[in-house]
Amino acid sequence: MTIKEYIKARKEEIKAEVAAMPKKPNLVIVQLNEDEASKAYVKGKLKDAAELGINAKLLKFPVEMSEKALLKEIAKLNKDKKVDGFIVQMPLPKQIDEEKVKLAVAPEKDVDGFHPMSALNPCTPQGIMNYLKHEGVEFLGKNAVVIGRSNIVGKPMAKMLLKESCNVTVLHSKTSKEDMARYLKYADIVVVAVGRQHLITKEFEFKPSAVLVDVGINRDENGLHGDIEPGMPVALQTPVPGGVGLLTRLALMENLLKIGR
Ligand code: GUN
């Protein structure tokens, strides 16, 4: 099933689940930045929530907001019984320490899964795992290569693949092309989250049975591009746009329902 088909089917299930709930879940999205990618994410999240019957509210603050003022707003949301879950859209402006913010969100309301005590996983790797499982991808004893080591994607992705008993290798932007080629040649599952347009090209050799997941979102005058060249000769390659971004948004709604239940 393509990602678009999968999202459509899952949304129908979630819609039915929400319709049967005596009280609709309440999500709050806190946004301080004005960057284009974040605007698109937030718009997408609000659209998904509306479509699924979830109450979502955008709480927008000026980019100049102080860390102290933001932490105060977070404390308010933590206490607000009407709010089931909330997220603080990343990246945050320079004057604010993102790690402090992640720790300030009450773990039981942390639908982003960013707090170390959160019972939930970060949305991007969670959304990817859900889709791969749905597609019947095998994990046990398989060679998984994660390229990228961010706290939001690379690290939690590696952890989740390890939990499924993959042999996990984590590479990153400083890995040489020669080394990358050596690892990719034997890879069964590859997740690329570096943020460099077409870092992975057809120059690299892959198993025909390989599964390639592209987390990259690189924008230029021609539109959005992934970290992987389109049309790789493999079993499955997720598209950009219309790929992991949609899975991430879906996982956020699924995380919210897990809290609301
Ligand atoms: N910025 C990019 N992806 C995400 C995400 O999943 N959650 C939040 N809060 N910010 C993001």
Side-chain angles (χ1 to χ4, degrees), residues 38 41 45 87-91 112 114 123-124 152 248:
S38 283
Y41 277 133
K45 287 167 186 173
I87 70 165
V88 181
Q89 185 63 32
M90 305 288 171
D112 254 330
F114 287 167
C123 299
T124 300
I152 299 187
T248 301

Side-chain angles (χ1 to χ4, degrees), residues 26-30 59 61 68-88 100-112 115 118 259:
N26 283 301
L27 169 72
V28 171
I29 300 173
V30 178
L59 205 51
F61 296 110
K68 195 170 158 207
L70 176 61
L71 293 174
K72 210 166 146 189
E73 291 297 332
I74 291 173
K76 266 199 241 166
L77 291 167
N78 285 339
K79 279 203 219 100
D80 190 339
K81 288 198 169 55
K82 292 190 293 298
V83 176
D84 297 298
F86 67 99
I87 70 165
V88 181
K100 253 193 217 170
V101 168
K102 286 180 194 167
L103 292 174
V105 176
E108 65 276 12
K109 292 196 178 186
D110 177 24
V111 269
D112 254 330
H115 193 288
S118 174
I259 281 184

Side-chain angles (χ1 to χ4, degrees), residues 155-173:
K155 281 183 209 145
M157 187 79 245
K159 225 164 126 177
M160 290 168 80
L161 289 163
L162 198 53
K163 196 162 173 227
E164 296 296 328
S165 302
C166 283
N167 315 315
V168 181
T169 305
V170 181
L171 308 177
H172 44 76
S173 57

